Amino acid sequence: SSDLIRFGIVDRPDGRLKRQAEPVPYLGGLAIYLSFLLALTATLRFDSTEVLGLLLAGAIVVMLGLIDDLGVLSPWVKLAGQVVAVLTLMNASIYIKLVFLPSWLAIALSFLWLLGVTNAFNLIDIMDGLAAGVAAVAALVLLLVAAFNGRGTYAILLAALCGALAGFLRFNVAPARIYMGDAGSMFIGLMLGALAMNNSYTQVNRIACVAPVVILGVPVFDMLFVMYIRFRRGMPVMRGSPDHFALRLRKWRLSTPQTVLLSCAVTLALGLLAFGMMLASAAVAAVLLAVIVAASLAIGLLLRRIDMSL
């Protein structure tokens, strides 16, 4: 930690979005990736194109994030690197496989989904324990889905990711001793996006194909909410601003640990609802989805009313 501070691999307080008392070391993302890789090396043979594709794409975003954490990448270069990682995944046959979608649409949606979730976790990493906590709960839900569907390899991948995040959380809860940085947030976003997308949801009804969006609903909601607020203000969508749902909840009356616990609880609730959608009839799944969408819109309207200017 002292070496990281000496070499400047730290997140420094700026009084705006970064309000920690002193510089906090980065490189937590590298620790998450290495512990994920170590767990897989002990439990899995790397003889699958999908597994190798995941590990290679993960390595690409970790390297990209490490360079960005040192402060030398423009947003467009970062986006270009993310596109390379997403195309690597798709080349390894990791894309949406729904028989009722034309292949061109499935590939286009896969590209947008993977890029979107990678950036959604990058955006949500603004509070001690938030991104890692939400990701750990989402990985646990996806692990249960994979185990329920008999997808052994995906279950092992998700168990390794969940374990790596749980280990990191010990040092990342408030007050954090280490941050995951862009390397960690982009890595967990890309992994969860890919592993959520390629699980099985539609044996009972087709509406359950949106289950990955529901399970990862917290980061997806934050990304759409922040983009909407910035768009309404005429701000560049990729420019940082203190408009995230977590910062608004903290401004309202919740502490950082309470905000993180609430976000994790909502992720678990959404995961259970997604599981319900998988097992229910099409009519019940449609009602559940309508309730989730209506609740999201209502919460968005309430959050927007919190004054962040003071």
Side-chain angles (χ1 to χ4, degrees):
S1 150
S2 59
D3 286 338
L4 295 179
I5 291 170
R6 192 166 77 241
F7 288 116
I9 308 174
V10 294
D11 196 32
R12 299 184 184 281
D14 63 5
R16 191 164 153 268
L17 285 174
K18 304 171 183 182
R19 299 188 176 181
Q20 65 269 28
E22 54 191 34
V24 176
Y26 276 137
L27 292 195
L30 188 60
I32 292 169
Y33 178 72
L34 291 175
S35 54
F36 173 71
L37 193 59
L38 192 63
L40 293 182
T41 303
T43 54
L44 204 61
R45 285 185 63 82
F46 298 163
D47 55 3
S48 149
T49 306
E50 288 193 9
V51 171
L52 290 171
L54 279 161
L55 294 178
L56 178 56
I60 290 169
V61 290
V62 167
M63 286 190 292
L64 187 72
L66 286 174
I67 296 167
D68 194 45
D69 288 336
L70 295 171
V72 296
L73 287 186
S74 73
W76 292 109
V77 173
K78 192 161 124 183
L79 185 64
Q82 291 172 356
V83 167
V84 171
V86 166
L87 293 176
T88 300
L89 280 179
M90 295 173 71
N91 189 41
S93 192
I94 297 172
Y95 52 84
I96 295 168
K97 298 179 178 79
L98 293 171
V99 290
F100 53 87
L101 282 183
S103 56
W104 65 267
L105 182 58
I107 285 170
L109 286 173
S110 302
F111 180 83
L112 291 173
W113 167 254
L114 289 167
L115 210 53
V117 176
T118 301
N119 283 291
F121 274 97
N122 196 208
L123 280 171
I124 206 178
D125 186 26
I126 47 154
M127 193 175 282
D128 294 353
L130 181 60
V134 167
V137 175
L140 182 61
V141 170
L142 289 166
L143 166 59
L144 295 175
V145 173
F148 180 80
N149 289 318
R151 302 195 62 151
T153 300
Y154 270 47
I156 291 170
L157 286 161
L158 285 157
L161 185 59
C162 190
L165 287 163
F168 172 72
L169 262 172
R170 264 189 68 202
F171 306 97
N172 187 235
V173 291
R177 283 176 277 168
I178 191 166
Y179 288 160
M180 66 170 68
D182 282 358
S185 60
M186 291 196 297
F187 170 68
I188 61 175
L190 190 69
M191 290 301 102
L192 285 173
L195 295 167
M197 180 178 74
N198 258 27
N199 232 322
S200 303
Y201 305 97
T202 54
Q203 291 99 320
V204 179
N205 69 79
R206 290 182 173 184
I207 294 167
C209 70
V210 299
V213 185
V214 175
I215 294 168
L216 300 180
V218 170
V220 170
F221 171 85
D222 187 59
M223 179 177 67
L224 296 175
F225 178 72
V226 167
M227 286 171 70
Y228 170 73
I229 296 287
R230 289 174 185 170
F231 174 76
R232 285 294 300 266
R233 287 202 189 134
M235 289 174 61
V237 170
M238 294 175 83
R239 185 179 157 205
S241 66
D243 289 309
H244 302 268
F245 82 88
L247 297 178
R248 285 173 179 263
L249 287 174
R250 193 167 65 186
K251 183 71 184 287
W252 175 54
R253 63 180 61 173
L254 297 186
S255 66
T256 293
Q258 286 171 338
T259 302
V260 170
L261 278 173
L262 178 62
S263 302
C264 291
V266 169
T267 300
L268 182 59
L270 287 171
L272 295 174
L273 285 169
F275 222 98
M277 287 173 65
M278 275 173 51
L279 303 176
S281 65
V284 172
V287 169
L288 288 174
L289 182 60
V291 168
I292 292 165
V293 170
S296 301
L297 290 171
I299 291 165
L301 288 171
L302 288 170
L303 286 170
R304 195 180 159 208
R305 291 169 62 181
I306 297 170
D307 184 10
M308 298 297 288
S309 60
L310 300 173

